[in-house]
Amino acid sequence: MIRVENLSKSFYHQQDESKILIDINLHIKRGECIILKGISGSGKTTLLSIIAGLDRPSKGKVLIDDEPISKLPDIFASKIRAKKIGMIFQHFNLFENLSVYENVTVPLIPSGLPLDDIYRAVDKSLKVANIYHKRSLVASRLSGGEKQRCAIARALVADPDIIVCDEPTANLDSQNSILFIETIKELHLMGKTIVIATHDPLFENLNFKSRIVPMFDGKIDE
Ligand SMILES: Nc1ncnc2c1ncn2[C@@H]1O[C@H](COP(=O)(O)OP(=O)(O)O)[C@@H](O)[C@H]1O
Ligand SMILES: [Mg+2]
């Protein structure tokens, strides 16, 4: 489903090269739940951004269902992303002035789907994410846990095969972190392919099948 092949990423400051990702190879099968585990600065966010086609590698490539998302022009990469990848971030990244319902609708606006289909998809993902009861509330009035549930609903609304989460529990208390993991378990049972970057120890002993991929200094030890 996802293949990362010989991937490297460097940033340059004048002539100084800093190597952020070094020759990464990672194969993720359909339906797998991957925990990308590493301390801050190990390159997790950079790797997730390249997998999602938001950033480009310096060397190597990323294939999503055999399509080289990392080599395609932005317009095609973003089409693959919109169709196949839902993203969940540490800081939720919601439109604070829009309602929960509107936030979750946003990814489907470019789809051109009939409105009834959009409403049906939005209702369904609000229910899966357990935030349907707050659908009319403006995002700025939600608690942290509720914001993350709204972000989950938004990530699910286009029914993507892949869910990518970057430090999803970093701003949640332990109770909401456990609820988040329960939702991830449901998505796993639905057959979604899930990639979670985290250093939260809660992800080390999940009660469903997952694979921990340790990352250190831009390298993966598989
Ligand atoms: N745009 C950038 N320019 C220069 N350095 C960057 C940039 N983005 C990230 N880095 C550096 O890359 C390293 C890895 O960052 P990141 O991928 O955010 O790690 P993590 O998510 O594991 O904390 C850090 O040292 C960070 O400072
Ligand atoms: Mg990060």
Side-chain angles (χ1 to χ4, degrees):
M1 164 121 258
I2 306 174
R3 297 173 74 91
V4 178
E5 295 188 343
N6 308 112
L7 185 139
S8 296
K9 176 78 178 176
S10 294
F11 289 108
Y12 294 88
H13 239 294
Q14 280 131 17
Q15 281 96 310
D16 294 339
E17 178 186 9
S18 35
K19 294 181 175 172
I20 306 301
L21 300 175
I22 302 160
D23 199 26
I24 292 197
N25 285 283
L26 179 64
H27 295 174
I28 302 174
K29 295 194 194 89
R30 182 173 296 277
E32 262 198 302
C33 178
I34 297 290
I35 311 299
L36 194 59
K37 182 180 161 235
I39 56 169
S40 177
S42 53
K44 303 181 299 297
T45 297
T46 308
L47 178 58
L48 291 187
S49 307
I50 296 175
I51 288 175
L54 292 165
D55 197 355
R56 294 194 182 270
S58 309
K59 275 191 214 136
K61 61 186 170 188
V62 175
L63 303 163
I64 306 270
D65 287 330
D66 298 325
E67 285 185 285
I69 187 167
S70 61
K71 294 196 179 235
L72 297 174
D74 284 342
I75 179 159
F76 296 110
S78 54
K79 273 193 183 146
I80 294 179
R81 184 168 58 248
K83 205 169 106 199
K84 298 197 173 170
I85 305 177
M87 300 197 67
I88 295 170
F89 306 92
Q90 171 178 358
H91 297 289
F92 319 127
N93 297 10
L94 300 175
F95 292 108
E96 293 283 321
N97 299 323
L98 296 185
S99 70
V100 168
Y101 200 92
E102 289 163 338
N103 266 287
V104 177
T105 308
V106 167
L108 291 182
I109 291 173
S111 70
L113 284 171
L115 272 181
D116 278 352
D117 292 357
I118 292 183
Y119 295 149
R120 206 172 305 124
V122 172
D123 282 354
K124 187 176 164 202
S125 52
L126 286 168
K127 284 173 189 163
V128 173
N130 257 314
I131 194 70
Y132 184 75
H133 57 298
K134 299 273 175 164
R135 64 191 176 283
S136 309
L137 215 61
V138 171
S140 60
R141 310 212 28 200
L142 300 172
S143 71
E146 290 165 346
K147 282 185 184 178
Q148 192 59 300
R149 276 178 258 155
C150 179
I152 295 169
R154 181 185 55 186
L156 294 178
V157 75
D159 197 24
D161 291 333
I162 302 169
I163 309 286
V164 171
C165 312
D166 193 3
E167 307 273 5
T169 57
N171 288 302
L172 300 182
D173 57 35
S174 60
Q175 199 186 344
N176 276 305
S177 299
I178 289 165
L179 286 173
F180 178 84
I181 289 173
E182 281 305 306
T183 307
I184 291 293
K185 181 178 179 179
E186 280 172 43
L187 300 180
H188 173 68
L189 295 174
M190 285 161 71
K192 305 283 184 196
T193 305
I194 301 166
V195 187
I196 303 171
T198 186
H199 54 259
D200 186 339
L202 274 179
F203 287 88
E204 281 167 31
N205 291 303
L206 297 176
N207 62 355
F208 57 93
K209 196 160 185 291
S210 60
R211 171 155 68 104
I212 294 182
V213 175
M215 193 163 181
F216 185 72
D217 272 357
K219 292 186 213 128
I220 278 178
D221 316 314
E222 265 206 292

